[in-house]
Amino acid sequence: MHVSHDPAAAAAETIGFDQFLAVDIRVGTILEAQPFPEARKPAYRLVIDFGPVIGTKRSSAQITEHYALEDLPGRQVAAVVNFPPRQIGKFMSEVLTLGFPDEAGKVVLFHPSAPVPNGGRLF
């Protein structure tokens, strides 16, 4: 699966509502953010709390351009929580943290505009 980070990319093909519902996107709060020097592209290792149903999950996120490590704990983010885990070097990334590209293609995190309970599902 290739996801374009180009803001001018063509729209994706039309999908059914059931396909959308198959993607489990939840909100969580970053508990820990650590450097990830072994990553091929600059990234951080995150530990995110998705509440009692999903629990705490790990994610590799290429967000080093806009975010300092010390500013990430406590920040709410959205992530796909039902992809299979992905090995990135020696790190197992369990969820896909979501963001949008800025004009230079660097990731800006997607997050709720007001605090919401961890584990809430996007609809």
Side-chain angles (χ1 to χ4, degrees):
M1 173 175 79
H2 173 73
V3 177
S4 176
H5 298 293
D6 178 3
E13 65 184 68
T14 300
I15 63 170
F17 191 66
D18 287 345
Q19 288 173 289
F20 168 73
L21 290 177
V23 181
D24 193 353
I25 300 173
R26 305 276 180 140
V27 66
T29 299
I30 298 173
L31 299 176
E32 298 175 29
Q34 301 173 345
F36 191 9
E38 304 86 11
R40 282 190 309 233
K41 294 182 180 178
Y44 295 144
R45 294 183 304 211
L46 306 177
V47 176
I48 306 169
D49 177 9
F50 291 99
V53 173
I54 304 297
T56 300
K57 300 291 183 181
R58 301 182 318 156
S59 181
S60 170
Q62 296 174 4
I63 57 173
T64 59
E65 293 288 328
H66 290 297
Y67 304 94
L69 284 172
E70 61 271 13
D71 295 335
L72 291 168
R75 176 184 288 269
Q76 286 197 299
V77 294
V80 176
V81 299
N82 66 332
F83 283 148
R86 186 168 168 220
Q87 189 77 39
I88 302 174
K90 294 180 179 180
F91 183 75
M92 184 65 73
S93 187
E94 299 172 298
V95 299
L96 175 65
T97 303
L98 300 175
F100 292 100
D102 67 9
E103 289 182 3
K106 306 302 181 191
V107 178
V108 175
L109 289 169
F110 179 69
H111 63 90
S113 59
V116 296
N118 288 336
R121 186 168 181 181
L122 180 73
F123 60 88

